Amino acid sequence: MAKKAICVGINKFANYPQFALNGCVNDAKDMAALAKEVLGFKAGEIKTLVDAQATKAAIMAELQAAVAAAKAGKLSYLLFSLSSHGTQMADKSGDEPDGMDEAFVPYDIAQKGNAWDPARIISDDELNGLFAQLPASTLLEVYLDTCHSGSGLRGAEFSLHAPRARYVAPPAGELQGAVRQRTVRGFTLQRAPGSSAAAGKGKKAAQATAAAAADKAVAGRNHVLWSGCKANQTSADAYFSGRYNGAFTYWYVKTLRDSGNKLSRKAVVTKVRAALKGQFSQVPQLEGNATNRASAIVY
């Protein structure tokens, strides 16, 4: 069966020039090159969306087409990477303890009144709902090099080539009635009952999660998430060897290339964390079941 890689990077934003970043387009191109040269994707299996190409409609259309192909039995592996700003929006479904959904910023991000326009922003609930439709036979690997934090521009020193946090504060209307302390990451995998991700929440919470997700969990066993930072941190847009990248993406790509893609995912994230330590405050995260964490990224 075929594979699909969708690599998105956004440095410029149509309605907010002040949001401009430097390394996101390089991230998308580097991930696309990695998919072809290291992970065995064919050129026709890779789609790169950068800047004006990366509207919400365009991103979601590519993802929806890939999910449809997987449901038709035509897709065995879906890789999705997104480098942009992260932000927050009011939780409408009641599943977030702090009343805020994590969200990701497309090229055409815009407000509607005093909140984000739902047609111009991508929420974690939208991604979760879409990816939950993937059959268990399809491996999903998601890379998010964005911020998942309400703590603002931590680490954005005012000097040449200083790292910049990939975070946009939400409009005031998104914050009304919400507790702003962060308690969850910006993207939640569909988790299998009894998974290690649920176990840390306590016995009752784990049981509730398992019961509520029982009908969705089979597909979720084959989902892998790489995140550029912890929930209470920001992901840096930084300068490396004459060009900009996301700090996580730069070291992730370098680690895979330097190792010849022979390391397990767990070993890769350990090496990336070690490379970032002392230079950046972010700690990349890896979520997935034990089998996928212990496996190399070879397809």
Side-chain angles (χ1 to χ4, degrees):
M1 286 190 288
K3 299 181 282 191
K4 185 69 176 182
I6 302 169
C7 304
V8 180
I10 311 166
N11 286 340
K12 300 177 182 178
F13 302 88
N15 302 307
Y16 298 92
Q18 68 272 30
F19 288 0
L21 292 166
N22 295 299
C24 296
V25 169
N26 284 338
D27 286 355
K29 292 179 178 179
D30 290 351
M31 288 297 294
L34 186 77
K36 182 179 178 181
E37 297 166 11
V38 178
L39 301 181
F41 284 75
K42 300 175 183 176
E45 295 176 327
I46 302 170
K47 182 69 174 184
T48 304
L49 297 173
V50 298
D51 286 342
Q53 301 169 331
T55 62
K56 176 180 180 174
I59 294 168
M60 297 305 294
E62 289 290 339
L63 291 174
Q64 288 161 359
V67 170
K71 292 168 71 174
K74 299 177 181 179
L75 195 69
S76 61
Y77 175 48
L78 172 59
L79 183 157
F80 174 53
S81 72
L82 174 63
S83 290
S84 180
H85 280 297
T87 186
Q88 298 163 276
M89 58 192 299
D91 172 30
K92 303 296 185 183
S93 60
D95 63 346
E96 300 286 7
D98 63 356
M100 299 296 289
D101 276 334
E102 303 298 342
F104 310 103
V105 177
Y107 171 77
D108 57 338
I109 184 74
Q111 287 183 229
K112 189 173 184 179
N114 65 345
W116 295 126
D117 182 350
R120 309 287 183 179
I121 193 168
I122 301 172
S123 73
D124 59 347
D125 283 350
E126 287 180 277
L127 292 182
N128 287 328
L130 181 60
F131 292 145
Q133 301 175 39
L134 287 168
S137 58
T138 301
L139 177 62
L140 170 69
E141 194 127 24
V142 176
Y143 300 83
L144 299 176
D145 202 342
T146 69
C147 289
H148 311 277
S149 171
S151 60
L153 298 179
R154 178 152 50 110
E157 296 87 354
F158 296 97
S159 62
L160 184 63
H161 302 322
R164 180 179 179 185
R166 291 179 172 179
Y167 176 76
V168 169
E174 299 287 8
L175 301 174
Q176 294 175 356
V179 178
R180 297 201 59 192
Q181 181 180 353
R182 301 310 307 137
T183 56
V184 293
R185 191 170 297 112
F187 179 92
T188 304
L189 295 173
Q190 297 296 336
R191 295 187 174 96
S195 69
S196 59
K201 299 179 181 179
K203 185 175 181 181
K204 289 185 178 180
Q207 290 173 342
T209 299
D215 60 338
K216 300 178 180 178
V218 174
R221 291 192 181 108
N222 224 11
H223 294 182
V224 178
L225 169 67
W226 301 80
S227 175
C229 63
K230 288 183 177 180
N232 63 342
Q233 296 176 332
T234 55
S235 289
D237 195 71
Y239 191 75
F240 299 93
S241 303
R243 70 198 288 263
Y244 284 92
N245 276 104
F248 164 71
T249 299
Y250 174 83
W251 283 108
Y252 172 81
V253 170
K254 189 176 189 307
T255 299
L256 252 66
R257 288 188 177 278
D258 289 351
S259 68
N261 193 31
K262 301 297 184 183
L263 299 175
S264 69
R265 290 181 179 86
K266 184 176 180 180
V268 170
V269 78
T270 297
K271 282 186 171 292
V272 173
R273 287 172 179 169
L276 291 169
K277 188 174 182 180
Q279 300 183 64
F280 301 93
S281 60
Q282 69 196 76
V283 181
Q285 303 296 295
L286 171 65
E287 289 191 14
N289 64 33
T291 299
N292 284 329
R293 291 198 305 272
S295 300
I297 310 169
V298 180
Y299 307 102

